[in-house]
Amino acid sequence: MRFNEKELIFLSRQPSERAAELGMRGPKKGDVMKRRLVKLIVNFLFYFRTDEEEPIGALLLEQCRVEREDDMAFSIAFLDEAERKYLFECDSQEQCLEWIDAIIKASYEFMRKNLIFYRSEIHRLTGKDPLEQYGISDETRFQVSSGLPPLPPPPT
């Protein structure tokens, strides 16, 4: 996926869902734990040197796995490079759990699954497809692809 550097820098300056100074170790052998300002903005995790305003890197939180490593640490690994882990150390167990939850909920896939679930529930309760009014109800990205039956047609 390609990104425009100026757009990423602009995005990194937007209000964040979460931000904190965390210990961070990159995925390369020999990387050491360093204190970084980490900001979660939409589905990007930006990281900064603590004394700089521009990010030194960003992780797109798609197709990744977030795992708790111990009480105060979690890791992020991408499905296409599972052996490469980014490790983050928090200041408390509570902070660690909050970061894990926020990162999981930041992905497009999580939001898509929620949309499909609530769409199905609204359809079940009202008999109407809530996306139909926007003309997007037949788009593939809004379809259930997990083997569940498709939405029934609205009653006539």
Side-chain angles (χ1 to χ4, degrees):
M1 189 175 284
R2 291 180 170 211
F3 300 103
N4 178 305
E5 187 175 339
K6 288 181 183 179
E7 289 174 345
L8 281 177
I9 290 171
F10 176 78
L11 181 61
S12 75
R13 294 181 177 144
Q14 300 308 303
S16 60
E17 284 84 24
R18 292 200 64 72
E21 282 190 23
L22 303 175
M24 180 181 174
R25 186 177 71 215
K28 296 177 187 166
K29 288 189 187 282
D31 279 351
V32 295
M33 190 67 65
K34 295 180 181 173
R35 204 76 180 153
R36 298 285 185 228
L37 172 60
V38 180
K39 292 172 67 175
L40 175 61
I41 303 171
V42 192
N43 60 346
F44 280 93
L45 195 66
F46 291 96
Y47 49 99
F48 305 73
R49 288 188 180 92
T50 56
D51 59 344
E52 294 182 7
E53 290 188 21
E54 286 195 5
I56 56 173
L59 303 176
L60 176 61
L61 299 171
E62 299 300 337
Q63 301 293 312
C64 66
R65 186 178 62 248
V66 182
E67 291 183 342
R68 189 170 174 182
E69 296 290 327
D70 62 38
D71 284 348
M72 296 183 5
F74 66 93
S75 65
I76 298 174
F78 293 89
L79 300 181
D80 59 346
E81 297 179 287
E83 69 283 350
R84 292 173 43 105
K85 279 187 186 180
Y86 292 83
L87 184 68
F88 297 87
E89 286 185 348
C90 300
D91 295 328
S92 69
Q93 183 177 355
E94 180 182 4
Q95 183 188 42
C96 184
L97 294 173
E98 289 170 353
W99 272 99
I100 291 169
D101 185 58
I103 290 169
I104 290 169
K105 290 178 179 174
S107 77
Y108 170 83
E109 191 58 29
F110 179 85
M111 291 184 265
R112 181 183 164 278
K113 286 178 183 176
N114 276 332
L115 176 116
I116 290 170
F117 170 78
Y118 288 114
R119 175 187 180 198
S120 298
E121 285 297 296
I122 290 168
H123 190 273
R124 184 179 63 78
L125 294 170
T126 67
K128 295 182 180 181
D129 182 353
L131 298 182
E132 196 168 3
Q133 65 184 327
Y134 301 106
I136 59 173
S137 61
D138 293 333
E139 289 189 22
T140 305
R141 63 187 167 154
F142 299 126
Q143 304 306 312
V144 178
S145 61
S146 62
L148 297 174
L151 291 174
T156 53

